[in-house]
Amino acid sequence: MSDVKTIAKNMLSSYETHVTAGVEKGLTLPDRAEVILALGEIRKLFFPAFFAAEEARGSLEYFAQSTLNSIYFRMKKQIERAYLFAGEPAEKAEETVTAFLAALPKVRKVLFTDLDATFEGDPAAKSKEEIVFSYPGFYAILVYRVAHVLYEMGVPFIPRMMTEHAHGKTGIDVNPGATIGEYFFIDHGTGIVIGETTVIGNRVKIYQNVTLGALSPRKGQSLAGKKRHPTVEDDVTIYSGASILGGETVIGKGAVIGGNCFLTESVSAGVRVSAKPPELSQTKIAQT
């Protein structure tokens, strides 16, 4: 193609007006494919009978050690890249990944409460095995809980890479910064959005197309670090299509939020909120 040199010059000109500092310094962002592979290994570590039956058959202890070693080296390299690109010392990566691995048994323990909540909450579930293998909500929760550990440690890039992978795979968008208690149940799940500063208590159930969002996202970076998303207390159920917005909005313990409700104000404990049903108009179809 004869115009390649001209197009390349135009492209170079555009590089000058956009941030390329990391590339110019020889830095590399974390590899998304490697991060997703690490997630797969963590999933195997949590559920060896499901996703690593052959590998774990000889000795579970050996399987756990070898899988942890693999996760360690894979994650250490990606965390080093993330720190360097963000202008932080790569030496932090070893301490971070060691602490991350040490947290995984606790993550698995909490994840089993989510599994119990999903099985108890869904009469269509034939078994817990079916949930682990097949349910998008459970997968999204697994990825969130792993990513949240890294988020709390201040690791750049990687937590969001993990949850956006789950978002693309399941249609469920859970920011890794959200704080979510035990026995969390997502049913169906498609279209759920849970913002960064959301706080969710224990034994909460959320159905498809629910948004726990911010009131004024147009203000952008000026809102960074502020509580922008709602607090949902223990034992709350939120049905499909509900939108709950704002950092000062609190849904009290045991409340039930009906489908398609739009809330920007707090709801007291034990209250049931429902939207007025639409007025339906029925017209007989003319026969031809």
Side-chain angles (χ1 to χ4, degrees):
M1 190 169 77
S2 59
D3 291 336
V4 165
K5 288 185 178 181
T6 301
I7 295 170
K9 287 180 180 179
N10 292 337
M11 187 62 68
L12 286 171
S13 176
S14 75
Y15 289 161
E16 293 173 2
T17 59
H18 293 81
V19 178
T20 58
V23 176
E24 291 165 358
K25 294 176 183 177
L27 303 178
T28 307
L29 281 161
D31 186 322
R32 184 174 184 272
E34 286 294 303
V35 170
I36 293 170
L37 285 172
L39 273 175
E41 291 183 319
I42 292 167
R43 194 186 191 197
K44 290 198 308 184
L45 184 69
F46 285 171
F47 300 103
F50 294 81
F51 305 109
E54 292 296 325
E55 297 172 58
R57 184 163 291 159
S59 166
L60 274 173
E61 182 178 2
Y62 175 78
F63 165 77
Q65 289 178 0
S66 62
T67 305
L68 283 165
N69 278 328
S70 179
I71 296 167
Y72 172 86
F73 288 110
R74 197 182 297 276
M75 288 297 296
K76 182 173 180 287
K77 182 175 181 179
Q78 301 314 312
I79 292 172
E80 283 176 349
R81 287 183 172 188
Y83 279 148
L84 284 170
F85 205 94
E88 301 180 47
E91 293 76 18
K92 292 171 54 180
E94 184 169 357
E95 181 181 350
T96 298
V97 74
T98 300
F100 170 66
L101 294 183
L104 291 181
K106 183 179 179 181
V107 173
R108 185 176 188 267
K109 184 177 179 180
V110 174
L111 195 60
F112 269 84
T113 72
D114 304 323
L115 180 58
D116 289 341
T118 303
F119 183 70
E120 292 300 322
D122 185 4
K126 301 299 186 290
S127 66
K128 292 181 181 178
E129 289 80 6
E130 181 181 51
I131 292 166
V132 174
F133 273 129
S134 307
Y135 276 39
F138 186 71
Y139 182 74
I141 294 169
L142 183 157
V143 174
Y144 154 76
R145 294 211 182 276
V146 171
H148 183 68
V149 174
L150 294 168
Y151 179 95
E152 289 285 283
M153 292 176 176
V155 176
F157 305 116
I158 293 174
R160 193 63 182 265
M161 292 170 74
M162 288 180 166
T163 55
E164 287 303 328
H165 159 70
H167 182 194
K169 191 177 178 70
T170 67
I172 299 166
D173 181 2
V174 186
N175 190 287
T179 301
I180 301 177
E182 298 181 353
Y183 295 93
F184 184 48
F185 172 36
I186 290 175
D187 198 10
H188 303 296
T190 304
I192 284 176
V193 177
I194 300 176
E196 180 187 29
T197 62
T198 303
V199 176
I200 297 175
N202 298 321
R203 300 174 301 279
V204 170
K205 299 178 182 179
I206 296 182
Y207 290 78
Q208 68 272 19
N209 290 317
V210 165
T211 297
L212 302 178
L215 269 173
S216 303
R218 288 179 297 176
K219 294 182 180 179
Q221 285 297 317
S222 66
L223 296 172
K226 297 179 180 179
K227 180 79 165 72
R228 311 182 303 281
H229 306 95
T231 296
V232 178
E233 295 184 346
D234 296 348
D235 303 302
V236 169
T237 299
I238 307 174
Y239 284 104
S240 61
S243 293
I244 304 172
L245 309 180
E248 296 182 4
T249 304
V250 178
I251 307 302
K253 181 176 180 180
V256 175
I257 309 302
N260 299 317
C261 288
F262 185 89
L263 296 173
T264 59
E265 298 178 359
S266 295
V267 172
S268 300
V271 168
R272 182 184 296 270
V273 179
S274 59
K276 287 185 178 181
E279 185 176 333
L280 301 180
S281 175
Q282 299 185 39
T283 304
K284 190 172 181 179
I285 299 172
Q287 301 295 319
T288 58

